[in-house]
Amino acid sequence: PTNVRTSKATSELVPQTAQMLLPISGEAIFQEETPAKLAFDWIMRRDPMKRAPTDRRFLQRYILVVFLFSLGGKAVARLSGEDECSWGTYESCAYSPSLGKTSCWTTGEPYATCTRGLVSKIDLVGTRGDLNTAITGSVPSELAFLPKLESLVLRDNILRGTIPTAIFGLGTLSRLNLSDNNFTGTIPSDIGMMGSKLSSEEQKSVNLANNKFAGTIPPEIAHIAGLKELKLHRNRFEGTMPASVCSLGTNTFEPSSALKLLTSDCAKVDCTCSSACKCVYSPTP
């Protein structure tokens, strides 16, 4: 087929493509057994699609492959030669004696939703108590290079590690749901940049509940224009709720822009300064 590269062509493309991806993954792309290196080898040598590095969607495909290798196990099994916007769906076929023919249908939900061919949503929801469906692993910084990513939902899994700062500050993001995992680390001030490329009228939501985040809550989180929901309970935060966050729930000048829901472990970080507060008195997991 005309779209299959020869081994010579592939070998010539490898160093060029590696240099192209260096600003995305850094030196990890050359380090054995890293998600970046595994993804690079897969997309350059084993990917049945053989998408050319010059294709505008090559980078997107590479980033999603890095993401799946970062999650490992069950997630890597989703890799296929199909369009990355359909990964997670499966085609099933069965012969019908009454019709005298084989019929096929698509089942499952794609974990990446694309708009005009570009990833706009990633939705990988597990069942934390079910090891057959829950996903493990960590979140790679490469996701921050998806130019149209609006929603990142990874709830109810067993994901661990810290969240890359660039993801918290992604200007295209309107929804971030990392709840019910094992994430650690602090919330960077960069979170104030979340959704900064979007209209202030577009509603934003942040759900970090039921993890192991620690430290203080950054006042910059109040800079998220159009923030409607902020769920912080069942973590290891300490200190006081920033005044800038408290004032979001009492915006009498622009009620439509006021925060509607703010949750916190009030025994540790009291949020009753805000009319949007809902205290959660639960032990830290």
Side-chain angles (χ1 to χ4, degrees):
T2 56
N3 68 333
V4 176
R5 309 186 192 114
T6 65
S7 59
K8 179 179 178 182
T10 301
S11 64
E12 291 175 349
L13 281 171
V14 166
Q16 299 171 19
T17 308
Q19 289 301 314
M20 180 184 78
L21 297 175
L22 197 57
I24 309 297
S25 295
E27 294 296 327
I29 203 168
F30 303 115
Q31 297 168 1
E32 295 297 328
E33 300 305 315
T34 62
K37 181 68 164 65
L38 293 170
F40 181 68
D41 289 344
W42 186 87
I43 203 168
M44 295 301 296
R45 296 183 172 90
R46 303 200 308 277
D47 184 2
M49 178 168 277
K50 304 295 183 184
R51 184 172 284 163
T54 53
D55 189 306
R56 77 183 184 107
R57 297 178 65 204
F58 174 85
L59 179 59
Q60 165 179 285
R61 190 170 179 85
Y62 165 75
I63 290 172
L64 291 182
V65 177
V66 173
F67 179 49
L68 293 184
F69 272 110
S70 295
L71 303 180
K74 293 183 289 290
V76 174
R78 300 177 184 227
L79 289 174
S80 74
E82 302 299 321
D83 190 292
E84 62 273 12
C85 296
S86 67
W87 284 346
T89 61
Y90 307 90
E91 185 176 45
S92 302
C93 298
Y95 177 76
S96 173
S98 61
L99 298 176
K101 65 177 183 179
T102 298
S103 300
C104 297
W105 61 93
T106 301
T107 58
E109 293 291 334
Y111 78 87
T113 299
C114 296
T115 302
R116 298 185 181 87
L118 296 178
V119 174
S120 56
K121 300 178 182 179
I122 292 179
D123 198 337
L124 204 60
V125 178
T127 305
R128 196 177 188 185
D130 184 356
L131 295 180
N132 292 320
T133 59
I135 300 295
T136 60
S138 57
V139 178
S141 60
E142 282 86 348
L143 288 184
F145 289 89
L146 291 172
K148 300 295 182 180
L149 186 61
E150 300 171 1
S151 175
L152 179 60
V153 177
L154 303 175
R155 64 180 176 84
D156 293 305
N157 286 293
I158 317 175
L159 299 173
R160 63 184 186 279
T162 58
I163 301 298
T165 298
I167 291 178
F168 276 121
L170 197 54
T172 58
L173 207 59
S174 62
R175 184 185 185 194
L176 179 63
N177 189 340
L178 306 175
S179 62
D180 296 281
N181 280 285
N182 291 325
F183 291 122
T184 56
T186 59
I187 309 303
S189 60
D190 299 62
I191 196 171
M193 295 299 294
M194 178 183 145
S196 59
K197 295 181 180 180
L198 304 176
S199 166
S200 60
E201 297 180 358
E202 187 166 345
Q203 296 187 5
K204 319 296 191 310
S205 65
V206 176
N207 188 347
L208 307 179
N210 203 12
N211 279 284
K212 297 176 182 177
F213 290 115
T216 58
I217 297 168
E220 290 83 1
I221 204 166
H223 297 168
I224 302 176
L227 183 63
K228 297 300 178 185
E229 289 191 1
L230 177 59
K231 296 182 179 181
L232 303 171
H233 62 278
R234 291 180 184 162
N235 278 288
R236 297 174 178 176
F237 294 121
E238 58 186 10
T240 59
M241 187 65 65
S244 57
V245 175
C246 295
S247 64
L248 290 178
T250 55
N251 194 335
T252 56
F253 297 103
E254 295 183 58
S256 62
S257 65
L259 185 67
K260 303 300 182 184
L261 178 62
L262 169 63
T263 68
S264 176
D265 300 280
C266 287
K268 298 178 180 178
V269 182
D270 192 350
C271 68
T272 54
C273 58
S274 168
S275 60
C277 172
K278 180 179 180 180
C279 290
V280 178
Y281 295 98
S282 301
T284 301

